[in-house]
Amino acid sequence: VDNRWDVSVACIELGFCTNDFPNRPLTMGMPTYTINLDLAPAQRWTEICSNASYVSLWNEAVAYVVEATPDHGAKLEDFGQLINSLIDLEYAQEISGCASALGLGYGWVTIANLGYEASDACTSIVVQTDEGVVMHGRNLDFFLGGATTELAKGLAAIVKFQSGGVTQYTISTMAGYVGALSVQSDAFSITINTKFYSNGIVGLLTEVIAAIKERNATLVAFLTRDAAVEAASFSEAVTMLSSVPLVSEVYYTVAGTEPGQGTILSRLRESVQNSTSLDYDNGKWYIAVTNYPWWEP
C-alpha cells in the first residue's frame, strides 16, 4: 500500500461516495476494566454498567427503539424477559445486575445480548509468519451502519476476568454485552462472525427460545466465554466450539500459540458445516472469513 487514505478519501476513490465528509479519528483507545469472578454474578458488571456515559448511551438507544416500534417495544422486552429466564443462570444474573446499574429493565439488556445472532458483520483472519508466529485479527463492522457504529464505539471496552486476583481471560466487548465477541486466554483466542439470518427478529427470537428449551442450546457469544474457562488448549477449544448446541448458526475463528494452530469453523446449530485450518508447509499461511461460506464462489 503506497498511500494511507482516510475513510472519506477511500470512499470517493472507490466510487461509493460522491462528496467528502468530515474526518474522524481512525483509531481510538478503549477503556480497560477488571471483572472479579469471585463476586456474585449480579455484582460483577456494576462498575462498568453504572458508568454515566454508558448509562446515557443505553437509555438513548432503548428510547429510540421504544419510539420506533408500534407497541413501544413491549413485545421485545417480553421476549427478553422470557429468554433471560431460560438461559444459563450465571449469565442471566450478570445481565440483570448490569440492567439494574443502567436503570433499565433486564428484558432490554437480554435482547441486546442477542444482537450478534440477529445482525452485524465482521471479518476474522489468522496468519502464520515465516518464523512460525501465529497472529489473530478481527474487525467489527455493523450491518446497520453509522449510527450503530457510533453506539458501539461509545460502549467499547476491554474486560479482564479475574479470579483470586489472577486474570483468567480477556475479552473485547461493549458495555452491557456479557458475551465475548473476541476472547483471549493464555492458550488460544476466539473471534465470532455472524451468519446472516433472513426470517426477521421475531422469527429469530422464537427459534432461540425453542433451541434453548428443546436442546439446551447456548448463545454464540456465551460459548466463547465458556471455552475460555473450560478449555485448557487450542484443540480443546476447537472441540468445544464444534460440539455444543447453539441458538443460531455462526462462524468461529480460533488461533493458538503454536505453528499450525489456526482454524475456522462454520457452525450449524448442532454440528460443524465446514472447517478450514492453517497449513503453512503447503502454502496455506493464512485463513480468513467474513459472513459468507468461504468454500463457495
Side-chain angles (χ1 to χ4, degrees):
V1 178
D2 295 325
N3 299 298
R4 181 173 179 174
W5 292 340
D6 64 30
V7 173
S8 177
V9 173
C11 190
I12 294 172
E13 289 288 335
L14 292 171
F16 297 125
C17 304
T18 57
N19 299 314
D20 194 9
F21 50 87
N23 288 324
R24 297 179 180 176
L26 295 178
T27 59
M28 57 176 285
M30 294 172 63
T32 299
Y33 296 92
T34 298
I35 282 184
N36 183 0
L37 291 169
D38 300 324
L39 292 175
Q43 300 173 2
R44 293 173 184 169
W45 289 82
T46 299
E47 178 189 358
I48 298 175
C49 296
S50 60
N51 177 292
S53 176
Y54 300 153
V55 171
S56 176
L57 286 169
W58 263 93
N59 280 270
E60 288 175 11
V62 171
Y64 175 82
V65 175
V66 168
E67 181 68 25
T69 50
D71 65 348
H72 303 294
K75 184 176 291 186
L76 283 174
E77 189 170 15
D78 288 346
F79 265 120
Q81 291 173 354
L82 176 57
I83 292 170
N84 188 276
S85 72
L86 297 173
I87 60 177
D88 179 88
L89 181 61
E90 187 171 356
Y91 291 128
Q93 291 177 345
E94 286 189 6
I95 290 171
S96 295
C98 175
S100 178
L102 290 168
L104 293 169
Y106 67 89
W108 286 111
V109 183
T110 305
I111 285 293
N113 273 268
L114 283 161
Y116 212 78
E117 278 82 356
S119 182
D120 303 341
C122 308
T123 300
S124 293
I125 185 169
V126 180
V127 174
Q128 180 173 320
T129 69
D130 292 339
E131 293 74 30
V133 177
V134 175
M135 297 185 291
H136 186 176
R138 70 93 44 81
N139 75 331
L140 286 169
D141 42 295
F142 292 87
F143 185 69
L144 295 177
T148 308
T149 300
E150 290 303 310
L151 176 64
K153 284 170 62 178
L155 295 173
I158 296 171
V159 182
K160 298 179 181 293
F161 288 79
Q162 294 188 348
S163 180
V166 178
T167 298
Q168 307 297 311
Y169 57 93
T170 301
I171 72 172
S172 58
T173 188
M174 288 159 279
Y177 190 91
V178 306
L181 299 178
S182 309
V183 62
Q184 181 177 352
S185 71
D186 289 339
F188 56 83
S189 56
I190 307 168
T191 55
I192 299 176
N193 289 56
T194 293
K195 281 189 177 182
F196 293 126
Y197 182 85
S198 59
N199 292 334
I201 185 64
V202 173
L204 172 67
L205 296 176
T206 301
E207 291 186 19
V208 165
I209 291 168
I212 297 173
K213 284 184 174 179
E214 296 169 10
R215 300 193 306 277
N216 194 32
T218 186
L219 275 61
V220 298
F222 289 177
L223 182 55
T224 52
R225 266 188 67 182
D226 292 342
V229 173
E230 299 176 25
S233 65
F234 167 81
S235 60
E236 287 185 15
V238 171
T239 297
M240 189 170 176
L241 295 169
S242 300
S243 56
V244 174
L246 298 171
V247 299
S248 67
E249 298 181 6
V250 73
Y251 295 105
Y252 285 124
T253 301
V254 194
T257 59
E258 300 295 330
Q261 291 186 339
T263 294
I264 298 173
L265 303 170
S266 174
R267 270 299 308 266
L268 304 177
R269 285 188 168 97
E270 297 188 69
S271 62
V272 174
Q273 179 184 25
N274 206 341
S275 66
T276 186
S277 298
L278 290 174
D279 187 2
Y280 181 86
D281 291 340
N282 289 303
K284 196 174 179 182
W285 57 273
Y286 77 93
I287 51 176
V289 65
T290 56
N291 310 103
Y292 305 96
W294 67 83
W295 60 92
E296 294 182 0

